[in-house]
Amino acid sequence: MSSSSASTIQSVLVENRVFAPSAEAQQGARVSGMAAYQALCDEAAADFDGFWARQARAHLNWSKPFSRTLDESNAPFYKWFDDGELNASANCLDRHIGTPVENKTAIVFEADDGTVTQVTYKDLLSRVSRFANALKAQGIGKGDRVIVYMPMGVEGIVAMQACARIGATHSVVFGGFSAKALNERIIDAGAVAVITANYQLRGGKELPLKAIVDDGIAMGGCTTLKTVLVYERTPSAWNRVEGRDKTFDEALQGQGDDCPPVAVDAEHPLFILYTSGSTGKPKGVQHATGGYLLWAKMTMEWTFDIRPEDVFWCTADIGWITGHTYVAYGPLAAGATQVVFEGIPTYPNAGRFWQMIEKHKVSIFYTAPTAIRSLIKAAESDEKVHPKNWDLSSLRILGSVGEPINPEAWMWYHRNIGHERCPIVDTFWQTETGGHVITPLPGATPLVPGSCTLPLPGIMAAIVDETGKDLPNGAGGMLVIKRPWPSMIRTIWNDPERFKKSYFPEEMGGTIYLAGDGAVRSEDRGYFRITGRIDDVLNVSGHRLGTMEIESALVSKTDLVAEAAVVGRPDDVTGEAVCAFVVLKRGRPTGEEAKQIANELRNWVAKEIGPIAKPKDIRFGDNLPKTRSGKIMRRLLRSIAKGEAITQDTSTLENPAILEQLAQTN
Ligand code: ATP
Ligand code: MG
């Protein structure tokens, strides 16, 4: 960031709406009321190591108790509970055996075509154990890396848990990624096996997985790879490579369903997950077993206030960190019943999510702003898929994750899904943080639309300038976390230097975690609001503008705009100029109409934020370039805005055709 933070524009988007938790939400909540929240924060501040040690003893089953809590001797390579031993799978499954949870439904699986199957905790333990035995029979063991390239479903979760059970480190690759992305990850991770399916079913279509694995391996360099295990999701034929490929049935043949969990050191790598790549070459984020699992369980309890009778549904795919922490690990560690969904939100129509909430009596629903925005667009153009057609009264808590949620989308979610009754937890976190770090607590925090509110107890988040100096409320700056926390990234696989350089800048002393996001705290409550990636803060005539603010202003023109993304491009006069890419609710305009709407939007932004924020260029598209996780790829938009050819890695881009459309000027 180049300019001073003092000149941050005070946006008129300042949010005055506040929604205090209802008596109902506070009642019986684990953290009930702000005094309880504050007490936990105070405890962590007064006795940091003691706080975390007590949590780790209370929440996890240790096969060998730890005596050291935090080792900072080789910062920023922090270690937590490092002389303790445990097994993640045992903490998700075995721990419930002999308790009332053992016969409880762990997973309600709804397939793409609507077929529902249920799995109890006891069943899940036998399936995981049997699969773990099958992996061992392939010679896979502690320390090996295994790629999981699977559809959303029980088998994918079983594969991850089975790896954890034998101490193998999994690396899940999202089932929408290309052969090239897969090839790079197999090589970087040095994987010995790929667990995949012949096909996946999404939106009524059969899409190949195994064929992409074959292509990825054929690109060469996968010298460590020995085995490919194939789940036959559909009866369709697939190409078998003799000596390397085995079906699940063949691998499971003769395997018993008892497999003692392998105790590993708390710091043993549970998984590597490559980030989505919205800002550059994917990084293999490495997480440790003990600290990660601790936070997965604690945040289930704090952020979602999970209770025995809840039906939890996180819509994220296991290919993302959200699907790791809040599908594959957290809900199981918490002994919850969860819904797992194979399909997409718009099939057979855009009412699918609402219908499933009704059908499964979901009480906690956790999804992404991109999904919410697209379902708003659908509901507003077609009454039949409006959520009002379904009974959503089972809902108790709503969650949002992945991007800042625009206040307008927040309000729609609050009214139309939460019926002004359910707290919305806007959870800020990252692949690197392992679990939520800044989020409201449903029974405590007064909510402000578009704000992720306050850090969780023990998370020492702050906003600082380039030198690491604290900034006052109201001043925009860089989001940092000043002390380590148990579920933090341990390193970038194979690249400890990049780890230090990316997250622990020397100018700040080399030990403070830099999130890479810009943020500002509100003057009144000190609430955090994420203003966009640091790279996405624009400097227009010396004024610092968060891209997120301009995007929110555009999207708040609700009669016209469905989605918007804003980037900067160099400008001779103003330093940087604002460039907006806009998707309209009515479809893509051209010619005179495009010019006219662009002008209308410019004036709107001028009125909402100030003339300085007026987009110089506005371009219309049928969609925006997104990663497969639904995030806008602003680095590509930056190139388009500058008129450059795209030479960057687009292997994680979902809809490449859109780039050409957006390259056209009006
Ligand atoms: P890459 O690091 O490869 O560019 P990514 O950052 O998109 O990919 P994730 O780790 O999945 O990959 O996403 C974390 C980022 O998502 C955060 O840094 C932040 O920019 C954004 N984010 C997540 N949750 C929220 C939230 N509740 N509010 C605002 N931003 C959020
Ligand atoms: Mg990131």
Side-chain angles (χ1 to χ4, degrees):
M1 278 201 304
S2 47
S3 68
S4 111
S5 41
S7 58
T8 298
I9 282 235
Q10 275 310 306
S11 158
V12 293
L13 293 176
V14 166
E15 187 55 65
N16 297 315
R17 293 170 287 201
V18 179
F19 301 85
S22 63
E24 190 193 343
Q26 275 196 49
Q27 181 74 39
R30 275 202 187 66
V31 184
S32 179
M34 284 307 270
Y37 163 77
Q38 196 52 54
L40 286 163
C41 293
D42 293 347
E43 183 193 337
D47 175 17
F48 192 71
D49 284 25
F51 169 81
W52 286 115
R54 285 187 290 280
Q55 299 291 351
R57 291 193 182 104
H59 284 278
L60 299 180
N61 287 347
W62 295 87
S63 6
K64 178 179 165 237
F66 61 90
S67 69
R68 284 191 299 264
T69 301
L70 169 62
D71 176 359
E72 303 184 71
S73 59
N74 188 28
F77 299 92
Y78 298 104
K79 290 184 188 161
W80 285 91
F81 323 118
D82 73 317
D83 62 342
E85 289 178 11
L86 77 168
N87 180 279
S89 162
N91 270 281
C92 292
L93 302 170
D94 308 59
R95 71 176 298 155
H96 303 304
I97 303 307
T99 80
V101 176
E102 72 174 4
N103 292 313
K104 182 177 172 175
T105 301
I107 296 174
V108 179
F109 173 64
E110 180 161 325
D112 190 54
D113 68 0
T115 311
V116 175
T117 37
Q118 308 212 354
V119 186
T120 66
Y121 272 90
K122 218 173 171 173
D123 296 338
L124 193 59
L125 174 60
S126 2
R127 287 179 65 169
V128 168
S129 302
R130 215 169 144 226
F131 200 82
N133 283 331
L135 292 177
K136 285 199 287 193
Q138 299 304 316
I140 301 167
K142 186 174 167 184
D144 286 334
R145 274 86 56 208
V146 175
I147 299 280
V148 176
Y149 186 62
M150 288 285 280
M152 203 44 197
V154 178
E155 288 72 16
I157 298 169
V158 166
M160 293 165 77
Q161 286 278 341
C163 287
R165 197 163 187 87
I166 60 171
T169 298
H170 59 70
S171 184
V172 183
V173 177
F174 175 57
F177 277 170
S178 64
K180 179 159 178 281
L182 197 57
N183 173 272
E184 284 167 0
R185 287 157 174 74
I186 294 170
I187 295 171
D188 190 68
V192 297
V194 174
I195 302 173
T196 189
N198 61 342
Y199 290 90
Q200 60 179 331
L201 293 167
R202 285 168 70 81
K205 294 197 197 80
E206 198 177 41
L207 305 166
L209 284 175
K210 172 61 169 60
I212 297 174
V213 171
D214 290 347
D215 289 351
I217 297 169
M219 287 174 165
C222 304
T223 50
T224 49
L225 191 78
K226 294 191 192 74
T227 310
V228 176
L229 296 178
V230 183
Y231 165 51
E232 296 184 284
R233 174 67 187 95
T234 73
S236 305
W238 49 280
N239 177 50
R240 177 195 285 265
V241 176
E242 288 303 334
R244 187 195 74 188
D245 300 353
K246 268 199 174 64
T247 66
F248 271 30
D249 283 350
E250 290 159 356
L252 289 166
Q253 186 74 44
Q255 299 300 337
D257 59 6
D258 180 39
C259 173
V262 173
V264 297
D265 296 346
E267 282 296 312
H268 182 72
L270 179 60
F271 63 87
I272 303 163
L273 181 61
Y274 292 84
T275 58
S276 70
S278 41
T279 55
K281 180 179 177 288
K283 311 184 259 277
V285 173
Q286 180 182 322
H287 277 287
T289 306
Y292 170 81
L293 200 69
L294 172 64
W295 200 230
K297 176 144 189 295
M298 286 178 68
T299 49
M300 283 301 296
E301 299 193 357
W302 279 353
T303 314
F304 296 120
D305 190 33
I306 191 88
R307 299 176 190 182
E309 63 279 11
D310 274 318
V311 177
F312 180 82
W313 183 19
C314 165
T315 66
D317 192 280
I318 51 168
W320 312 121
I321 189 66
T322 309
H324 280 59
T325 312
Y326 301 107
V327 177
Y329 288 103
L332 299 178
T337 295
Q338 70 171 320
V339 173
V340 170
F341 177 42
E342 179 179 45
I344 58 172
T346 48
Y347 177 80
N349 61 52
R352 182 74 180 263
F353 275 4
W354 322 134
Q355 182 212 1
M356 283 180 62
I357 290 171
E358 176 183 283
K359 177 162 150 196
H360 301 298
K361 300 197 163 45
V362 171
S363 58
I364 304 176
F365 179 66
Y366 190 34
T367 196
T370 177
I372 297 168
R373 285 193 302 264
S374 76
L375 296 177
I376 295 175
K377 193 178 167 199
E380 287 189 357
S381 57
D382 181 3
E383 283 274 298
K384 288 198 295 296
V385 297
H386 195 283
K388 70 185 173 201
N389 297 301
W390 288 277
D391 176 5
L392 306 180
S393 61
S394 57
L395 287 171
R396 188 167 84 75
I397 293 171
L398 302 177
S400 170
V401 59
E403 278 183 296
I405 178 165
N406 327 97
E408 288 317 316
W410 194 101
M411 288 305 299
W412 187 92
Y413 198 29
H414 174 68
R415 290 201 187 105
N416 293 284
I417 309 303
H419 296 162
E420 304 187 7
R421 204 171 40 74
C422 304
I424 298 177
V425 288
D426 175 359
T427 60
F428 169 83
W429 60 299
Q430 310 174 297
T431 307
E432 295 87 344
T433 68
H436 307 147
V437 286
I438 308 182
T439 175
L441 299 178
T445 319
L447 305 173
V448 171
S451 167
C452 52
T453 74
L454 294 167
L456 285 169
I459 302 294
M460 305 308 184
I463 295 174
V464 301
D465 68 12
E466 294 80 350
T467 61
K469 194 166 94 356
D470 279 301
L471 290 171
N473 289 354
M478 294 187 258
L479 178 64
V480 296
I481 303 178
K482 292 192 159 178
R483 298 282 290 134
W485 67 103
S487 68
M488 72 193 297
I489 175 176
R490 293 305 193 264
T491 188
I492 291 175
W493 183 260
N494 271 343
D495 205 347
E497 276 311 308
R498 188 172 178 205
F499 167 74
K500 282 205 276 191
K501 239 177 79 204
S502 309
Y503 305 112
F504 298 92
E506 279 304 326
E507 312 82 79
M508 296 186 188
T511 59
I512 290 179
Y513 176 78
L514 177 72
D517 286 295
V520 59
R521 302 185 70 160
S522 66
E523 305 262 10
D524 50 350
R525 295 169 186 272
Y527 276 10
F528 288 72
R529 194 162 52 80
I530 306 299
T531 50
R533 318 274 175 150
I534 290 175
D535 316 345
D536 292 339
V537 177
L538 309 186
N539 184 348
V540 181
S541 304
H543 293 283
R544 288 166 29 79
L545 291 167
T547 51
M548 184 55 203
E549 267 171 330
I550 308 174
E551 286 164 17
S552 281
L554 286 165
V555 175
S556 72
K557 186 112 184 73
T558 51
D559 55 330
L560 270 178
V561 178
E563 249 191 318
V566 167
V567 299
R569 65 163 170 75
D571 184 281
D572 292 345
V573 180
T574 54
E576 270 189 298
V578 178
C579 196
F581 296 84
V582 176
V583 180
L584 295 184
K585 283 185 174 165
R586 65 166 80 151
R588 180 166 172 256
T590 50
E592 268 314 302
E593 192 195 4
K595 286 209 176 74
Q596 203 185 321
I597 296 177
N599 261 336
E600 192 179 335
L601 292 177
R602 272 190 200 101
N603 294 335
W604 173 265
V605 172
K607 185 169 83 55
E608 288 290 298
I609 303 179
I612 194 80
K614 257 189 177 177
K616 194 153 192 175
D617 302 344
I618 295 189
R619 303 199 189 182
F620 298 101
D622 294 323
N623 204 338
L624 297 170
K626 289 182 184 162
T627 63
R628 310 224 173 216
S629 56
K631 290 192 207 211
I632 299 164
M633 289 178 93
R634 288 189 177 72
R635 65 182 161 90
L636 298 183
L637 292 177
R638 273 196 288 273
S639 298
I640 295 176
K642 281 189 222 155
E644 292 172 358
I646 304 227
T647 53
Q648 310 147 14
D649 177 15
T650 53
S651 62
T652 61
L653 178 66
E654 188 184 49
N655 44 359
I658 220 74
L659 295 179
E660 216 165 291
Q661 198 177 68
L662 292 170
Q664 291 166 29
T665 43
N666 302 303

